[in-house]
Amino acid sequence: MKPDIRWQLLLAAAGLGLVLALLSYQVQTAGLCSVSVPAAGGALTEGLVGAPQYLNPLLAAGNPIDRHLTNLLFDGLTHTDENGRLTPVLASTWTVSEDGRQVTFQLRDDVQWHDGRPVTTADVAFTYGLLQDSAFSGPPNLTAWWQAQNLLWSSVAITVTNQTEITFGLAEPYAPFLDATTLGILPAHRLEGVTAATLSTDAFNQFPVGTGPFQVAPDGDWRQSGRLRLLPNPTHWREGTKLDGLELAFYPNEESLLAAYQSGELHAITSVSPVGLPAVAATPATRLFTSPAPRYSQLLFNLGDTGAPAARSLAVRQALAYALNRETLVDEVLNGQALPLDGPYLPSSWAYQPGLLTPYPFQPASATALLEQEGWLTAEGSPTRQKEGQPLHLRLVLADDPTQRAVGQFIAQQWAAVGATVELLPVPPAQLRESLATRLFDVALVDVEPPGDPDLYDFWSQEAIIRGQNYGGWNHRRASEALENGRQLWNVDERRPYYQAFVRFYNDNLPALTLYQYVYTYAISERVNQVEIGRLAQPRDRYETLADWFLLYRDVTVSCES
């Protein structure tokens, strides 16, 4: 049988094609490489000390965690930036009438609630209308805040012109009114029928709808689990994020929070306290980001009848200021996590006037001389100075947390060196304001978050002794008048002289001694890539570059370089 030449030729051609294909594949794969690139997926887990109560800006004043979270979830008409300037957020513009009694806001027409509904002036009117209602029956620790808001808003006439224009009529010119518009706005359509009396019990406070850069995930129960899942708001992150979202875990104290971070359970710690910093900084693969915080620590003297006579003496207060080494306090007790500060204003405020303030460097000799001039003398066998048989004994009330206790102990040691005995009176942080209101202290260690506007009338006026936060009872008519006059003008150049006058009176009387400005510290593991954080004015600012952050990699094939 003759062989079939055609089949042999066909098989030979097929074999040659296979050989050529294999050779071509080897040539192609020899020019390709596998590389790892950022991949989408995974949630950033952050830890906080404390727990939320109300995810509602109108109920957040009494709890730092609530204030922190509502900043991520809600927007106000305006916002005070890191330079102390009022900038628009939900509003696009605002104007003040010539007589200073009407403020008209134009809303942006491109903002939506997390559920997709447009934001309108009806939402603004509803939010401020709740504050006009005096029937609030929420938690007792919010009563004082609501009363202050009600006092402001009950005298404001709210007029809705259309869906994007709203006017606020004031009884008289009141420049600090604009600072009140930084409060987060609530959605009227989600709270229909809710009043000030029922607001605190509404389910909205657990699963709210806002306009901020993050929104609450609809599943889960953070009250039971101790974890709150937040999703990026797609209308804020229009180009998307690589991370699926944030998972915030709540811990009872900093020790348990640190243990979770060191075990790898957490990617980040939202806020590291000064006393907790060394342990966090020593944790491998940790990055720390710091920024000046918009709050300061202050020693408030009780100048009323319930305070010790020594606290009412200007010379004694000046002596105590000279006896305190604030540089050592910052460097050793706070591990450098604070900035020197004098006076009642932050450097970001246009009312900040350091040149008008008397410096009080650490000068124990000056402290001793002032005390002796006032008749506070040492007695044989006693470390405590006395005057007319009365010891120089001071009750120092403070919040019972690790940082405040460490600061209080340092102050007690410093003042003991010049002959003053200090009795520390720690109280639970949530009860500190109540303790201040009783005025059963001589000195109080307090943290102050001043408003964006430099108006400190509610802190230092004569009226604030009765209805306000002038817990030290500083009763100075001219200082009070300067604050009263300054708040009735809109133009900054016209207001400035009144606040300069107030600072001079404040400096001459020393009703309080500012210790330092806080520094905010954020800790994050190097497992989270591409993290960059700049200056912070509010919690959401740390996520400014979140679109670049990622946790995962994936392998892709690319052409190799020659």
Side-chain angles (χ1 to χ4, degrees), residues 503-524:
V503 170
R504 290 190 180 95
F505 297 134
Y506 179 96
N507 179 69
D508 293 342
N509 287 261
L510 196 64
L513 175 67
T514 301
L515 300 177
Y516 48 80
Q517 179 183 4
Y518 277 94
V519 168
Y520 172 78
T521 302
Y522 179 68
I524 189 165

Side-chain angles (χ1 to χ4, degrees), residues 138 242 345 355 362 425 452 490 493 504 526:
K242 297 181 180 67
Y345 292 113
F362 180 51
L425 302 176
W490 290 95
D493 291 335
R504 290 190 180 95
E526 292 180 357

